[in-house]
Every structure is written in structure tokens, then in C-alpha cells.
Amino acid sequence: MKFAVITDIHGNMDALSEVLRDIDRRGDIDYIYNLGDVIGIGHNTNEVLGMITSRNDITSIAGNHDKAIMSVINNTPYPEDLKDKFYEHHHWVAEHLNPQYYEFLNTLPREFTLDLLGQSVLGIHYEIENAKLEDTIDQIPFSPIVEPSAEHMKTLFADKDADVILFGHNHTLHHFINEDTVYFNPGSVGLNRAPYTVYGIVTITPEQSNIEQVRVAYDNTRFIDGFEVKEVPGRALIFDKFIQ
């Protein structure tokens, strides 16, 4: 069983197009798992959602930006930890979001589990304690980000039981093995500080899991220029923290 892992697309249509093209070109990838933050920060909201929802080989889960934007749409409490960073930006995304995607975003689960050839796999945007899995986004269910290390991953995901734990959220490659558990974050599809995009390939056999990060070059000019052309709110913070 060989599948791709994508995460943190963040409204970047050009990066996602290149990733999907590379996956399809390989011809031996059975499925794609999308670990959340499909929208927010980037400005190609509907284009990205159209690409994800038009395929029948992608399973998606929710990220914090997905849920925060939908809290604006649904007029439910907005998370306090994002108010000083993304409040205006998320309202802008919500104003431009096609209503045809409301149901898709509102029904995204928080996690998925798989049993593949005797290997258990968990996918989650980032650690949420089991007792908080049903918490709304304003209750800030996601755990604080920790520095990448095998020991930190073991502590962070201490309440999770799986042979392979797949996650995203902090846009940084993680590939650690601690005792019998593999922890893998392929990095962000949409937000990198250079003209490339990344995703992961996981191969499961009865004996083990093999994991690799794939880096693909692409022209990010249109994505970068679009922030000024569309006058995206919060673009100064976005460029400082995520792009340049």
C-alpha cells in the first residue's frame, strides 16, 4: 500500500497543482490523505477547494485555519489565540468563500485511523488530547507546538496509539522513530520560503513503513503577486512569518 500525504495547502493553488501533478505522474500511489489547513493565509480559496473536492482519491481532515474560518461563516465564537493575527484575514477569506464548500468544511473530521497490512496509522492536523477531540475551535483544542525531536513527539502524542502518526500544522519536516512509533510531518504544501512545494509518500508493508519527503520546484510568482493584486488583509504578517 503506497499513499501520499499532503498538508497545509493554505490556499496555494499553484503549489497544490504541482503536487497533484507529481503524484499522478508516478502512477503507483493508491490514495492521498490531506491533513488540514486547506484554506487560510493564501488567497486561492475556492480554487484549492475545487481541486480537493473534485477528486475521489483524497480523504481530508480539519486544520485550525479551516475551523476558524468556518466559525466566521457560522457566526460561532472565534478562537482568541488567532484574533491578533488572522481575524481580519479570516473574515476576508470567509467573504470570498463559495457557499458550495460550506458543508465540506463544516463536516471535516479531526482525525482518521487506518489498519493497513497490520500497521495502524493515525492522521491528525496536530495533537489534540483525546478528551478535547470534540472541542470547538474557540476552545483551542490543538496542543502548543513543540520543537522537532523524537522525544518531544513521544511526549506530545503520548495519548495516541498507532504505529505511524501523520500530522502537519507547523510547516516543518518531522521524521522520527521512537520505539515502535513513526512520526511524520511532510511539511507544508503551500507555504515555503522558496519556490518549491513538498509532500510525503508512505509505503506500508506487513513488516514496516517506509516514508519519504518529496520536494517539487514550482513557479510561485503568481501566488506571491496575488497578495498585492487582491489586497489580502494581513499580508505583511503572512510574508514575514511564512513566505519571505
Side-chain angles (χ1 to χ4, degrees):
M1 173 68 179
K2 180 181 286 190
F3 60 86
V5 181
I6 62 176
T7 188
D8 297 276
I9 301 164
H10 284 294
N12 186 337
M13 171 184 65
D14 298 303
L16 178 60
S17 295
E18 202 61 49
V19 163
L20 294 177
R21 186 179 297 114
D22 194 74
I23 289 171
D24 292 340
R25 176 187 61 80
R26 292 173 180 268
D28 63 347
I29 292 176
D30 301 308
Y31 207 75
I32 303 169
Y33 291 95
N34 168 32
L35 304 182
D37 276 359
V38 179
I39 59 173
I41 301 183
H43 48 80
N44 301 129
T45 304
N46 296 312
E47 295 89 340
V48 162
L49 285 167
M51 294 164 68
I52 291 293
T53 58
S54 67
R55 296 181 63 125
N56 60 11
D57 62 346
I58 299 178
T59 289
S60 299
I61 59 175
N64 55 309
H65 284 267
D66 304 320
K67 288 301 184 183
I69 290 165
M70 290 314 296
S71 75
V72 175
I73 296 288
N74 297 329
N75 196 28
T76 53
Y78 184 86
E80 289 290 335
D81 64 327
L82 296 180
K83 274 190 176 178
D84 63 339
K85 301 174 184 176
F86 294 110
Y87 187 76
E88 184 182 3
H89 172 78
H90 281 165
H91 276 72
W92 181 87
V93 173
E95 289 169 6
H96 292 83
L97 177 59
N98 190 321
Q100 75 181 74
Y101 300 119
Y102 289 0
E103 182 179 3
F104 170 76
L105 291 165
N106 273 327
T107 57
L108 286 175
R110 283 274 169 78
E111 62 177 357
F112 66 82
T113 58
L114 307 169
D115 186 355
L116 301 173
L117 301 175
Q119 297 278 318
S120 57
V121 179
L122 168 70
I124 190 167
H125 186 62
Y126 201 68
E127 163 65 359
I128 301 175
E129 294 176 12
N130 290 338
K132 298 181 179 181
L133 281 169
E134 300 301 322
D135 284 3
T136 53
I137 194 63
D138 61 294
Q139 295 174 284
I140 312 178
F142 290 99
S143 297
I145 291 174
V146 298
E147 290 297 315
S149 74
E151 201 58 38
H152 284 161
M153 294 302 100
K154 180 181 178 180
T155 302
L156 178 68
F157 292 105
D159 65 344
K160 302 296 187 289
D161 182 18
D163 297 310
V164 179
I165 297 179
L166 307 171
F167 61 101
H169 189 49
N170 64 340
H171 308 172
T172 301
L173 173 65
H174 295 59
H175 186 187
F176 301 108
I177 302 174
N178 195 311
E179 297 175 355
D180 294 326
T181 302
V182 177
Y183 305 91
F184 181 54
N185 174 351
S188 174
V189 168
L191 297 179
N192 294 285
R193 297 183 184 272
Y196 66 83
T197 180
V198 295
Y199 70 98
I201 297 177
V202 179
T203 305
I204 301 289
T205 71
E207 294 79 25
Q208 62 183 350
S209 58
N210 295 305
I211 292 174
E212 63 176 304
Q213 183 202 52
V214 180
R215 180 178 292 199
V216 183
Y218 83 106
D219 184 354
N220 64 354
T221 305
R222 181 168 59 173
F223 179 65
I224 290 174
D225 291 347
F227 285 92
E228 290 296 331
V229 172
K230 299 177 183 179
E231 299 182 340
V232 178
R235 58 190 178 275
L237 172 68
I238 290 168
F239 271 63
D240 179 57
K241 296 295 185 183
F242 301 108
I243 298 176
Q244 293 183 338

